[in-house]
Amino acid sequence: MSHSTTRFRLHLIVLGLYSVLALLLTWPLVTQISTAVPGVPQWAFDESTFLWNTWYFKHALVDQLRSPLHSELIWYPVGIDLILYTYNFFHALLALPLTLAVNLPFGSNIALLLSSVLSGYGTFLLVLYLLGSQIQQNLKHRQRSQNNAQWAAFIAGLLFAFASNRAIYAMLGHYDMVTTQWIPFYALMLLRSLDSGLTPHRRYKAAALAGFFLAMNGLAEMITALFLGIFTLIVLLVALANLWRAGREDPSSPEHKTRPVPLWLGSMMRSLA
């Protein structure tokens, strides 16, 4: 079996396991997927708000062919702008074709379940990348290190995607706070864009994808985008500090020219701890 086939099979298995867990850990949602949505009446019916978001997004964009960023259904007849409103555009956009094909609860529930699956998978890819340099260094036990890294990445994705905070937010109907899948994807592409071990073309591609995933985070929840902005600033400061330190040491050393991101990121995490 070729390396690419084995890798594809691994990623397919990981996605499948996260999908099964998403269905099991939200049971009995799958049995009522087109008739009910997660939420509790004790918390102001926030789930109804996000259902309205999805409905109005479709109503404005498809039925009325107008911008979904303004509504006259609130504060009629003056209306209200929804630019700074907690819209969760990604959730509404993903649910749109599913809503048209089936109904509103079905579209919202599929978008919610997919956010858990992709949150786990994105974290899996991020941790696998961070541990990659350690695997390359340990040539003697490379296969064993690779297996350990894959298990560590899978468990990390499991912990992030199915953490209690995400379950509580889903139960309360705060779907914007459950749309967390773009966080690990952004972190991964940001670090790859700074990785001197990659070719310039791959780094430019990673930078473009980082911008895309940051936009997706902003469309889901602006608070998340703000925190990622702080994270980006920290990462860039650490990268500049490492460049400055490398310049003061031996600039001709290959270690300083091609030091991959996971190594200095690990150093940063240890210093913060």
mmCIF file of all heavy atoms in Angstrom, residues 170-200:
data_model
loop_
_atom_site.group_PDB
_atom_site.id
_atom_site.type_symbol
_atom_site.label_atom_id
_atom_site.label_comp_id
_atom_site.label_asym_id
_atom_site.label_seq_id
_atom_site.Cartn_x
_atom_site.Cartn_y
_atom_site.Cartn_z
ATOM 1 N N ALA A 170 -23.809 24.290 23.244
ATOM 2 C CA ALA A 170 -24.799 23.710 22.332
ATOM 3 C C ALA A 170 -26.127 23.504 23.056
ATOM 4 O O ALA A 170 -27.201 23.765 22.501
ATOM 5 C CB ALA A 170 -24.280 22.384 21.780
ATOM 6 N N MET A 171 -26.070 23.041 24.299
ATOM 7 C CA MET A 171 -27.283 22.813 25.083
ATOM 8 C C MET A 171 -28.026 24.122 25.340
ATOM 9 O O MET A 171 -29.257 24.165 25.351
ATOM 10 C CB MET A 171 -26.913 22.155 26.407
ATOM 11 C CG MET A 171 -28.107 21.860 27.316
ATOM 12 S SD MET A 171 -27.608 21.297 28.951
ATOM 13 C CE MET A 171 -26.894 22.797 29.629
ATOM 14 N N LEU A 172 -27.266 25.214 25.531
ATOM 15 C CA LEU A 172 -27.871 26.519 25.787
ATOM 16 C C LEU A 172 -28.338 27.206 24.511
ATOM 17 O O LEU A 172 -28.958 28.271 24.572
ATOM 18 C CB LEU A 172 -26.877 27.432 26.518
ATOM 19 C CG LEU A 172 -26.460 26.994 27.928
ATOM 20 C CD1 LEU A 172 -25.417 27.951 28.482
ATOM 21 C CD2 LEU A 172 -27.674 26.923 28.853
ATOM 22 N N GLY A 173 -28.015 26.617 23.364
ATOM 23 C CA GLY A 173 -28.421 27.220 22.098
ATOM 24 C C GLY A 173 -27.491 28.293 21.591
ATOM 25 O O GLY A 173 -27.844 29.050 20.688
ATOM 26 N N HIS A 174 -26.276 28.382 22.148
ATOM 27 C CA HIS A 174 -25.289 29.372 21.703
ATOM 28 C C HIS A 174 -24.475 28.779 20.544
ATOM 29 O O HIS A 174 -23.311 28.422 20.702
ATOM 30 C CB HIS A 174 -24.366 29.770 22.851
ATOM 31 C CG HIS A 174 -25.051 30.547 23.924
ATOM 32 N ND1 HIS A 174 -24.396 31.077 25.007
ATOM 33 C CD2 HIS A 174 -26.353 30.889 24.087
ATOM 34 C CE1 HIS A 174 -25.255 31.712 25.791
ATOM 35 N NE2 HIS A 174 -26.446 31.604 25.252
ATOM 36 N N TYR A 175 -25.081 28.704 19.393
ATOM 37 C CA TYR A 175 -24.438 28.028 18.276
ATOM 38 C C TYR A 175 -23.211 28.759 17.759
ATOM 39 O O TYR A 175 -22.337 28.152 17.146
ATOM 40 C CB TYR A 175 -25.442 27.843 17.127
ATOM 41 C CG TYR A 175 -26.640 26.999 17.492
ATOM 42 C CD1 TYR A 175 -27.822 27.071 16.770
ATOM 43 C CD2 TYR A 175 -26.599 26.136 18.579
ATOM 44 C CE1 TYR A 175 -28.929 26.304 17.101
ATOM 45 C CE2 TYR A 175 -27.700 25.364 18.928
ATOM 46 C CZ TYR A 175 -28.867 25.458 18.188
ATOM 47 O OH TYR A 175 -29.952 24.690 18.515
ATOM 48 N N ASP A 176 -23.128 30.067 17.998
ATOM 49 C CA ASP A 176 -21.946 30.812 17.574
ATOM 50 C C ASP A 176 -20.707 30.367 18.355
ATOM 51 O O ASP A 176 -19.609 30.305 17.799
ATOM 52 C CB ASP A 176 -22.158 32.316 17.750
ATOM 53 C CG ASP A 176 -22.527 32.676 19.182
ATOM 54 O OD1 ASP A 176 -23.179 31.853 19.849
ATOM 55 O OD2 ASP A 176 -22.172 33.783 19.626
ATOM 56 N N MET A 177 -20.886 30.022 19.636
ATOM 57 C CA MET A 177 -19.757 29.608 20.456
ATOM 58 C C MET A 177 -19.371 28.146 20.208
ATOM 59 O O MET A 177 -18.351 27.683 20.719
ATOM 60 C CB MET A 177 -20.085 29.802 21.943
ATOM 61 C CG MET A 177 -20.492 31.215 22.315
ATOM 62 S SD MET A 177 -19.248 32.456 21.853
ATOM 63 C CE MET A 177 -17.950 32.048 23.002
ATOM 64 N N VAL A 178 -20.196 27.427 19.456
ATOM 65 C CA VAL A 178 -19.898 26.039 19.107
ATOM 66 C C VAL A 178 -19.230 25.954 17.741
ATOM 67 O O VAL A 178 -18.652 24.933 17.381
ATOM 68 C CB VAL A 178 -21.186 25.184 19.148
ATOM 69 C CG1 VAL A 178 -20.892 23.715 18.919
ATOM 70 C CG2 VAL A 178 -21.896 25.355 20.485
ATOM 71 N N THR A 179 -19.298 27.029 16.972
ATOM 72 C CA THR A 179 -18.674 27.048 15.648
ATOM 73 C C THR A 179 -17.185 27.341 15.818
ATOM 74 O O THR A 179 -16.690 28.432 15.539
ATOM 75 C CB THR A 179 -19.346 28.104 14.742
ATOM 76 O OG1 THR A 179 -20.760 27.932 14.795
ATOM 77 C CG2 THR A 179 -18.899 27.946 13.295
ATOM 78 N N THR A 180 -16.467 26.344 16.288
ATOM 79 C CA THR A 180 -15.053 26.493 16.645
ATOM 80 C C THR A 180 -14.099 25.834 15.658
ATOM 81 O O THR A 180 -12.895 25.807 15.895
ATOM 82 C CB THR A 180 -14.801 25.875 18.042
ATOM 83 O OG1 THR A 180 -15.214 24.494 18.018
ATOM 84 C CG2 THR A 180 -15.600 26.596 19.121
ATOM 85 N N GLN A 181 -14.640 25.283 14.568
ATOM 86 C CA GLN A 181 -13.789 24.470 13.692
ATOM 87 C C GLN A 181 -12.696 25.260 12.993
ATOM 88 O O GLN A 181 -11.659 24.693 12.626
ATOM 89 C CB GLN A 181 -14.639 23.740 12.640
ATOM 90 C CG GLN A 181 -15.395 24.632 11.681
ATOM 91 C CD GLN A 181 -16.799 24.923 12.154
ATOM 92 O OE1 GLN A 181 -17.034 25.123 13.330
ATOM 93 N NE2 GLN A 181 -17.747 24.946 11.232
ATOM 94 N N TRP A 182 -12.897 26.565 12.827
ATOM 95 C CA TRP A 182 -11.894 27.333 12.073
ATOM 96 C C TRP A 182 -10.705 27.750 12.925
ATOM 97 O O TRP A 182 -9.703 28.221 12.390
ATOM 98 C CB TRP A 182 -12.558 28.568 11.447
ATOM 99 C CG TRP A 182 -13.744 28.228 10.612
ATOM 100 C CD1 TRP A 182 -15.016 28.693 10.760
ATOM 101 C CD2 TRP A 182 -13.788 27.330 9.493
ATOM 102 N NE1 TRP A 182 -15.844 28.134 9.820
ATOM 103 C CE2 TRP A 182 -15.121 27.305 9.032
ATOM 104 C CE3 TRP A 182 -12.827 26.545 8.851
ATOM 105 C CZ2 TRP A 182 -15.515 26.520 7.951
ATOM 106 C CZ3 TRP A 182 -13.212 25.760 7.773
ATOM 107 C CH2 TRP A 182 -14.534 25.754 7.333
ATOM 108 N N ILE A 183 -10.801 27.597 14.242
ATOM 109 C CA ILE A 183 -9.697 27.986 15.126
ATOM 110 C C ILE A 183 -8.441 27.149 14.861
ATOM 111 O O ILE A 183 -7.364 27.713 14.597
ATOM 112 C CB ILE A 183 -10.120 27.891 16.605
ATOM 113 C CG1 ILE A 183 -11.269 28.852 16.898
ATOM 114 C CG2 ILE A 183 -8.927 28.176 17.520
ATOM 115 C CD1 ILE A 183 -11.830 28.734 18.298
ATOM 116 N N PRO A 184 -8.502 25.812 14.921
ATOM 117 C CA PRO A 184 -7.280 25.034 14.667
ATOM 118 C C PRO A 184 -6.789 25.148 13.228
ATOM 119 O O PRO A 184 -5.584 25.119 12.984
ATOM 120 C CB PRO A 184 -7.694 23.597 15.002
ATOM 121 C CG PRO A 184 -9.171 23.570 14.884
ATOM 122 C CD PRO A 184 -9.627 24.935 15.305
ATOM 123 N N PHE A 185 -7.709 25.291 12.265
ATOM 124 C CA PHE A 185 -7.286 25.434 10.872
ATOM 125 C C PHE A 185 -6.509 26.734 10.679
ATOM 126 O O PHE A 185 -5.510 26.777 9.945
ATOM 127 C CB PHE A 185 -8.497 25.400 9.934
ATOM 128 C CG PHE A 185 -9.032 24.026 9.680
ATOM 129 C CD1 PHE A 185 -10.216 23.604 10.263
ATOM 130 C CD2 PHE A 185 -8.349 23.126 8.871
ATOM 131 C CE1 PHE A 185 -10.717 22.332 10.038
ATOM 132 C CE2 PHE A 185 -8.839 21.856 8.635
ATOM 133 C CZ PHE A 185 -10.030 21.453 9.231
ATOM 134 N N TYR A 186 -6.972 27.814 11.334
ATOM 135 C CA TYR A 186 -6.233 29.074 11.234
ATOM 136 C C TYR A 186 -4.864 28.966 11.880
ATOM 137 O O TYR A 186 -3.857 29.414 11.307
ATOM 138 C CB TYR A 186 -7.022 30.207 11.892
ATOM 139 C CG TYR A 186 -6.206 31.472 12.009
ATOM 140 C CD1 TYR A 186 -5.895 32.223 10.886
ATOM 141 C CD2 TYR A 186 -5.709 31.890 13.248
ATOM 142 C CE1 TYR A 186 -5.117 33.366 10.983
ATOM 143 C CE2 TYR A 186 -4.927 33.035 13.345
ATOM 144 C CZ TYR A 186 -4.639 33.762 12.206
ATOM 145 O OH TYR A 186 -3.858 34.879 12.305
ATOM 146 N N ALA A 187 -4.803 28.383 13.084
ATOM 147 C CA ALA A 187 -3.518 28.232 13.779
ATOM 148 C C ALA A 187 -2.544 27.404 12.945
ATOM 149 O O ALA A 187 -1.353 27.739 12.837
ATOM 150 C CB ALA A 187 -3.737 27.580 15.145
ATOM 151 N N LEU A 188 -3.038 26.357 12.311
ATOM 152 C CA LEU A 188 -2.189 25.503 11.485
ATOM 153 C C LEU A 188 -1.614 26.275 10.307
ATOM 154 O O LEU A 188 -0.396 26.220 10.041
ATOM 155 C CB LEU A 188 -3.008 24.309 10.984
ATOM 156 C CG LEU A 188 -2.324 23.391 9.965
ATOM 157 C CD1 LEU A 188 -1.072 22.751 10.560
ATOM 158 C CD2 LEU A 188 -3.300 22.324 9.473
ATOM 159 N N MET A 189 -2.452 27.001 9.601
ATOM 160 C CA MET A 189 -1.982 27.719 8.412
ATOM 161 C C MET A 189 -1.095 28.906 8.781
ATOM 162 O O MET A 189 -0.154 29.237 8.056
ATOM 163 C CB MET A 189 -3.173 28.190 7.576
ATOM 164 C CG MET A 189 -3.898 27.054 6.904
ATOM 165 S SD MET A 189 -2.772 26.091 5.840
ATOM 166 C CE MET A 189 -3.328 24.429 6.168
ATOM 167 N N LEU A 190 -1.372 29.540 9.915
ATOM 168 C CA LEU A 190 -0.501 30.633 10.367
ATOM 169 C C LEU A 190 0.902 30.110 10.636
ATOM 170 O O LEU A 190 1.904 30.715 10.201
ATOM 171 C CB LEU A 190 -1.081 31.266 11.632
ATOM 172 C CG LEU A 190 -0.201 32.313 12.319
ATOM 173 C CD1 LEU A 190 -0.011 33.535 11.421
ATOM 174 C CD2 LEU A 190 -0.794 32.722 13.668
ATOM 175 N N LEU A 191 1.018 28.988 11.337
ATOM 176 C CA LEU A 191 2.329 28.426 11.661
ATOM 177 C C LEU A 191 3.040 27.919 10.408
ATOM 178 O O LEU A 191 4.254 28.074 10.281
ATOM 179 C CB LEU A 191 2.166 27.292 12.674
ATOM 180 C CG LEU A 191 1.596 27.703 14.042
ATOM 181 C CD1 LEU A 191 1.434 26.489 14.935
ATOM 182 C CD2 LEU A 191 2.482 28.746 14.709
ATOM 183 N N ARG A 192 2.291 27.345 9.485
ATOM 184 C CA ARG A 192 2.903 26.871 8.235
ATOM 185 C C ARG A 192 3.417 28.039 7.390
ATOM 186 O O ARG A 192 4.429 27.922 6.707
ATOM 187 C CB ARG A 192 1.900 26.045 7.423
ATOM 188 C CG ARG A 192 1.662 24.645 7.978
ATOM 189 C CD ARG A 192 0.646 23.883 7.132
ATOM 190 N NE ARG A 192 1.119 23.686 5.775
ATOM 191 C CZ ARG A 192 1.854 22.653 5.370
ATOM 192 N NH1 ARG A 192 2.208 21.712 6.246
ATOM 193 N NH2 ARG A 192 2.226 22.530 4.114
ATOM 194 N N SER A 193 2.722 29.173 7.458
ATOM 195 C CA SER A 193 3.171 30.341 6.687
ATOM 196 C C SER A 193 4.489 30.897 7.218
ATOM 197 O O SER A 193 5.199 31.615 6.500
ATOM 198 C CB SER A 193 2.098 31.432 6.710
ATOM 199 O OG SER A 193 1.973 31.988 8.014
ATOM 200 N N LEU A 194 4.836 30.570 8.465
ATOM 201 C CA LEU A 194 6.087 31.033 9.074
ATOM 202 C C LEU A 194 7.157 29.950 9.116
ATOM 203 O O LEU A 194 8.247 30.185 9.635
ATOM 204 C CB LEU A 194 5.811 31.520 10.499
ATOM 205 C CG LEU A 194 4.839 32.702 10.646
ATOM 206 C CD1 LEU A 194 4.510 32.939 12.103
ATOM 207 C CD2 LEU A 194 5.406 33.952 10.006
ATOM 208 N N ASP A 195 6.842 28.787 8.594
ATOM 209 C CA ASP A 195 7.750 27.644 8.667
ATOM 210 C C ASP A 195 8.820 27.752 7.584
ATOM 211 O O ASP A 195 8.542 27.580 6.395
ATOM 212 C CB ASP A 195 6.955 26.345 8.496
ATOM 213 C CG ASP A 195 7.770 25.116 8.862
ATOM 214 O OD1 ASP A 195 9.012 25.206 8.898
ATOM 215 O OD2 ASP A 195 7.162 24.058 9.108
ATOM 216 N N SER A 196 10.052 28.023 7.989
ATOM 217 C CA SER A 196 11.150 28.181 7.027
ATOM 218 C C SER A 196 11.561 26.858 6.403
ATOM 219 O O SER A 196 12.355 26.839 5.463
ATOM 220 C CB SER A 196 12.357 28.827 7.717
ATOM 221 O OG SER A 196 12.766 28.042 8.833
ATOM 222 N N GLY A 197 11.026 25.757 6.923
ATOM 223 C CA GLY A 197 11.331 24.461 6.329
ATOM 224 C C GLY A 197 10.498 24.168 5.093
ATOM 225 O O GLY A 197 10.751 23.188 4.390
ATOM 226 N N LEU A 198 9.502 25.004 4.804
ATOM 227 C CA LEU A 198 8.651 24.830 3.633
ATOM 228 C C LEU A 198 9.119 25.736 2.501
ATOM 229 O O LEU A 198 9.789 26.744 2.725
ATOM 230 C CB LEU A 198 7.195 25.158 3.985
ATOM 231 C CG LEU A 198 6.542 24.310 5.081
ATOM 232 C CD1 LEU A 198 5.116 24.799 5.349
ATOM 233 C CD2 LEU A 198 6.524 22.837 4.697
ATOM 234 N N THR A 199 8.734 25.385 1.298
ATOM 235 C CA THR A 199 9.077 26.212 0.138
ATOM 236 C C THR A 199 8.273 27.511 0.180
ATOM 237 O O THR A 199 7.184 27.552 0.786
ATOM 238 C CB THR A 199 8.763 25.467 -1.165
ATOM 239 O OG1 THR A 199 7.341 25.214 -1.234
ATOM 240 C CG2 THR A 199 9.521 24.145 -1.238
ATOM 241 N N PRO A 200 8.782 28.579 -0.451
ATOM 242 C CA PRO A 200 8.033 29.846 -0.452
ATOM 243 C C PRO A 200 6.614 29.702 -0.998
ATOM 244 O O PRO A 200 5.679 30.317 -0.481
ATOM 245 C CB PRO A 200 8.895 30.749 -1.340
ATOM 246 C CG PRO A 200 10.275 30.203 -1.196
ATOM 247 C CD PRO A 200 10.108 28.723 -1.066
#
